[in-house]
Amino acid sequence: MRFLRAIVIIGVVLGALFVGADRWAVSYAENRLAERIQARQGLAGTSEVEIDGFPFLTQALSHDLDRVDLRLRGVDLAAEGRKTRLSELDATFRGVKLNGDYSGGTAERAEGTGLITYADLTAASQTGAALSYGGAPNKVRVTAAVDVLGKSLTRSVVSTITLEDAKDGKGGKIVRVRADEVPGEGIPGVEKLVRKKTDFERDLDGGLPAGLHLSALTSDEAGVHLTLGGEDVVLAGS
């Protein structure tokens, strides 16, 4: 009986040590991966990584992770020399194959969501226009000052925000804001001047992790909500 009791105690102790070591290892890996992503994306905010599944050590040894959840805050997406900030980006990566040096990996597939606030959308317009909720899904209100015949006129229009195919033919998407209607007030050229301030488009795909693409968007009082997805998505590293 004493022998059996000793075996049980030893087993419990070893099991506890294994669990403790496994949890330490996954915490270390999550922090390191978050740091790599932070550096890769040039984040202005924070990054948080959660690796699912137990035990972690067996997954790490095989270089295969079942699932990795990523939460980013303050993401600057740079494409075509322009920056657009996402207030939030949450993504789930499934079937992650780790690099040989564990610096990152590639996921078989990924899906996620993002949020662009109206303050960040205003900054992204780069025209001096101010954007706010347009009162319905996929609608935004754009207000801008326009110089007409030496006078500064402030005009506010309701615009539709859409996700469209990029013009380069590579399968990417662009976010486009275009006024539904611009009152010309009988003055030649006014509509063109207003649209120059209120209409714009931005490539966000180019700033996302390789393989992750925009698939849908809508708007509400909080901002513009993005839906993302992709295959063979680079989580971090090379």
Side-chain angles (χ1 to χ4, degrees):
M1 290 295 293
R2 290 181 179 178
F3 175 75
L4 291 176
R5 186 180 302 169
I7 292 296
V8 171
I9 292 174
I10 292 172
V12 170
V13 171
L14 291 177
L17 289 174
F18 175 78
V19 171
D22 190 82
R23 293 303 88 193
W24 178 88
V26 73
S27 178
Y28 177 81
E30 289 170 346
N31 291 335
R32 289 292 294 161
L33 191 53
E35 290 172 2
R36 294 281 301 181
I37 293 171
Q38 182 114 10
R40 181 184 178 90
Q41 293 296 127
L43 295 183
T46 61
S47 60
E48 182 180 344
V49 171
E50 182 176 344
I51 300 173
D52 289 354
F54 178 84
F56 164 72
L57 289 173
T58 57
Q59 295 184 74
L61 288 173
S62 65
H63 287 253
D64 290 309
L65 302 180
D66 294 333
R67 170 175 166 174
V68 176
D69 293 325
L70 174 64
R71 288 176 288 278
L72 305 180
R73 299 296 179 264
V75 188
D76 285 330
L77 301 183
E80 300 179 342
R82 299 167 174 170
K83 285 186 177 181
T84 303
R85 175 165 293 187
L86 270 65
S87 174
E88 302 173 5
L89 176 60
D90 298 321
T92 296
F93 299 81
R94 301 180 188 276
V96 179
K97 184 69 175 178
L98 295 174
N99 299 339
D101 59 0
Y102 296 96
S103 63
T106 302
E108 292 180 357
R109 65 187 187 282
E111 61 275 343
T113 60
L115 172 66
I116 308 176
T117 65
Y118 290 112
D120 289 334
L121 196 58
T122 293
S125 72
Q126 297 181 337
T127 64
L131 286 89
S132 59
Y133 182 47
N138 294 88
K139 297 293 183 181
V140 295
R141 181 168 292 279
V142 187
T143 303
V146 182
D147 187 23
V148 179
L149 301 177
K151 294 184 179 181
S152 181
L153 303 177
T154 299
R155 292 293 176 266
S156 182
V157 298
V158 174
S159 301
T160 299
I161 183 166
T162 56
L163 192 62
E164 301 182 5
D165 293 333
K167 300 174 183 177
D168 58 11
K170 296 181 179 180
K173 298 289 185 180
I174 59 171
V175 176
R176 186 184 189 196
V177 177
R178 180 172 174 79
D180 295 346
E181 185 179 352
V182 178
E185 302 178 13
I187 305 175
V190 167
E191 179 176 352
K192 184 177 180 180
L193 289 173
V194 173
R195 286 194 178 279
K196 192 172 182 180
K197 290 278 190 175
T198 61
D199 295 359
F200 64 95
E201 58 187 40
R202 288 293 178 269
D203 173 11
L204 301 186
D205 261 357
L208 293 169
L212 192 63
H213 303 289
L214 300 176
S215 58
L217 63 74
T218 189
S219 64
D220 61 14
E221 292 86 347
V224 178
H225 299 268
L226 308 173
T227 303
L228 311 101
E231 298 178 349
D232 297 325
V233 180
V234 176
L235 182 56
S238 56

